[in-house]
Amino acid sequence: MMKHEGGGLQRVFADLHLHIGRTERGEPVKISGSRDLTFRNIAHEAAVRKGIQLLGVIDCHSPGVQRDIEALLESGEMTEISGGGIRYRDTTILLGAEIEVRDAGYGTAHHLVFMPDFVAMKSLTAWMSEHMKNVQLSSQRLYVPSRVLQEEVKMRGGLFIPAHIFTPHKSLFGSCSDHLSDTLDPALIDAVELGLSADSEMAGYIPDLDDYPFLTNSDAHSLAKIGREYNELLLGEPSFSELKLALEGAEGRRIMTNYGLNPVLGKYHRTYCVNCGSLVEERLDAERCLQCGSMKQVRGVFDRILELAEMAGREQPYVPAGRPRYVYQVPLEFIPGLGKVKLGKLLEAFGTEMAIIHDVPEATIAAIAGEPAAAIIASARRGTLQLEAGGGGRYGKVSAGQ
């Protein structure tokens, strides 16, 4: 469902971090991804069931995935559009890659890159294959400095976006460095991805991020997870060139809203003990777990951000004028009492998950799925859900007692 906002621009929902699990031949791409996550299945799920018009598939550097794309283009099932991207029905897929880099003297970080067209993506693959052990697989280590990667991406007209920047594993601030400029050229960054355990206000504690657009994406490892976080954009059409304008805030294009999990629901929101799994919500300076005495603790996103804020001397989050609003949106799979049968009936009646989440009146949902599920969806729209904190690799929970 697209809403036109005047001036030839339209509302576009975008999820720009989706993994490929397998190729059509069954070759692994993202080892931890579902086998159902093929290029074709992602496009169909997003277009028909989710209602998401702009996708970022970040394993398109894989030669096996490129072979699948070429077959879909040759058959006419999909087409490459002039604005950049692969069109399937009313949905456009952007060609991206998630790349792991470890600069000398720093930790490991993942970065997202998007190419303007298929030719540019294949060119990037050819270059990466000279500096990567297995270019077929997802999120592999690239043995060059991060700034060199940035330059190669920009040379091909691409976009560069640090991924899930606060997660404790393989991210810019979670495991790599204390400052953005330690490993990256600030001028060659187009946006940053917040990740499931952070929101705009939390990121506002970090001065390094004041001038960058924020994106919220699903990092989906299964079809069901597509759209668990997403962005509402104002674009002329869903395409690479229009996304670039939106990140620049140019020609009326812009990010209108970031929709994401309340950080409390994220798997890494609070510090936890690897040994016993208990959350550490008090005495974060303790070297040992207060429950079992283990020294194996993983710093949660919330606690890491407070640590960085203290280093920077920032006591309150900074929200620059024009920063898009951040709305806590709970995916339908998180809603207690809304099982596959009821969800199927809602989709049959209203078309897509985006329509149910954003546009269908509460009373209309209640008539099909029951009042309890409808009340929780309405509460999610208002941002008044009761939540239980996540951590230790476990998601938080939505309380059924709203």
Side-chain angles (χ1 to χ4, degrees):
M1 181 183 296
M2 290 189 185
K3 287 189 176 181
H4 290 268
E5 305 291 338
L9 302 182
Q10 60 189 252
R11 179 184 75 175
V12 172
F13 292 122
D15 183 356
L16 303 174
H17 191 147
L18 307 174
H19 282 286
I20 299 283
R22 297 289 189 276
T23 68
E24 293 291 345
R25 294 182 182 178
E27 304 159 304
V29 181
K30 182 68 174 179
I31 301 298
S32 58
S34 167
R35 295 182 64 89
D36 294 335
L37 279 171
T38 64
F39 194 87
R40 174 190 277 116
N41 287 350
I42 288 172
H44 187 269
E45 177 77 6
V48 175
R49 183 182 175 93
K50 298 290 184 177
I52 298 174
Q53 300 96 12
L54 189 62
L55 304 173
V57 174
I58 49 80
D59 294 319
C60 293
H61 67 286
S62 169
V65 174
Q66 292 175 5
R67 184 182 62 243
D68 290 346
I69 294 171
E70 287 173 339
L72 291 164
L73 293 175
E74 289 172 1
S75 70
E77 184 174 349
M78 298 185 187
T79 56
E80 190 167 13
I81 62 174
S82 59
I86 306 294
R87 181 67 52 83
Y88 173 78
R89 299 192 180 188
D90 294 327
T91 292
T92 300
I93 303 167
L94 302 184
L95 304 175
E98 183 176 27
I99 302 164
E100 180 176 306
V101 183
R102 182 168 187 173
D103 288 85
Y106 297 95
T108 303
H110 281 187
H111 303 301
L112 305 179
V113 304
F114 294 99
M115 293 292 106
D117 53 43
F118 200 20
V119 171
M121 176 53 72
K122 288 191 284 189
S123 172
L124 186 68
T125 294
W127 173 74
M128 288 198 301
S129 66
E130 300 175 357
H131 307 281
M132 185 179 288
K133 291 182 179 179
N134 190 346
V135 77
Q136 167 69 21
L137 296 179
S138 171
S139 311
Q140 294 298 289
R141 177 74 61 84
L142 184 71
Y143 292 92
V144 301
S146 296
R147 288 183 176 85
V148 173
L149 171 61
Q150 288 182 282
E151 292 166 359
E152 292 290 335
V153 169
K154 292 300 176 181
M155 186 187 308
R156 293 168 174 80
L159 299 172
F160 183 92
I161 301 169
H164 45 71
I165 57 174
F166 297 116
T167 57
H169 309 293
K170 300 181 179 181
S171 75
L172 179 62
F173 290 118
S175 59
C176 177
S177 62
D178 294 334
H179 301 284
L180 182 146
S181 59
D182 287 340
T183 58
L184 296 174
D185 182 343
L188 300 183
I189 296 174
D190 296 284
V192 297
E193 181 188 62
L194 297 181
L196 300 182
S197 294
D199 60 17
S200 295
E201 183 175 352
M202 292 169 65
Y205 280 100
I206 314 301
D208 284 3
L209 302 178
D210 289 349
D211 297 328
Y212 295 108
F214 293 165
L215 292 171
T216 46
N217 301 309
S218 69
D219 195 358
H221 286 53
S222 67
L223 291 174
K225 294 292 190 294
I226 295 174
R228 63 178 170 181
E229 293 206 347
Y230 54 96
N231 311 276
E232 183 181 7
L233 310 177
L234 190 62
L235 306 177
E237 65 168 1
S239 68
F240 176 91
S241 60
E242 288 286 314
L243 172 64
K244 187 174 185 296
L245 289 173
L247 296 183
E248 296 169 350
E251 299 180 27
R253 279 72 169 169
R254 60 189 175 92
I255 303 170
M256 293 196 293
T257 311
N258 300 124
Y259 289 96
L261 297 176
N262 186 309
V264 171
L265 289 173
K267 292 196 295 184
Y268 303 110
H269 181 61
R270 297 308 305 262
T271 298
Y272 69 97
C273 173
V274 176
N275 185 55
C276 71
S278 62
L279 296 186
V280 184
E281 298 183 274
E282 297 180 359
R283 289 200 58 195
L284 295 173
D285 58 342
E287 292 185 1
R288 295 183 178 274
C289 173
L290 301 181
Q291 300 297 321
C292 71
S294 172
M295 296 184 69
K296 296 180 179 180
Q297 299 184 75
V298 174
R299 182 61 60 92
V301 168
F302 177 77
D303 307 307
R304 172 60 172 158
I305 287 175
L306 292 183
E307 179 183 51
L308 291 169
E310 185 176 0
M311 291 180 190
R314 180 169 283 183
E315 297 181 356
Q316 298 294 328
Y318 169 67
V319 181
R323 174 75 72 200
R325 64 184 183 135
Y326 191 106
V327 175
Y328 295 150
Q329 188 61 69
V330 178
L332 295 181
E333 67 169 333
F334 274 81
I335 304 298
L338 189 62
K340 290 184 178 180
V341 173
K342 289 183 179 178
L343 179 56
K345 291 180 179 178
L346 288 172
L347 290 171
E348 184 178 352
F350 307 117
T352 67
E353 290 190 14
M354 289 296 108
I356 296 165
I357 289 172
H358 289 278
D359 301 324
V360 180
E362 179 180 354
T364 308
I365 296 174
I368 295 176
E371 291 186 1
I376 292 175
I377 291 172
S379 183
R381 290 175 181 173
R382 295 190 298 268
T384 58
L385 283 177
Q386 298 174 21
L387 306 171
E388 299 175 18
R394 297 189 300 271
Y395 290 110
K397 296 180 180 179
V398 176
S399 172
Q402 299 300 316

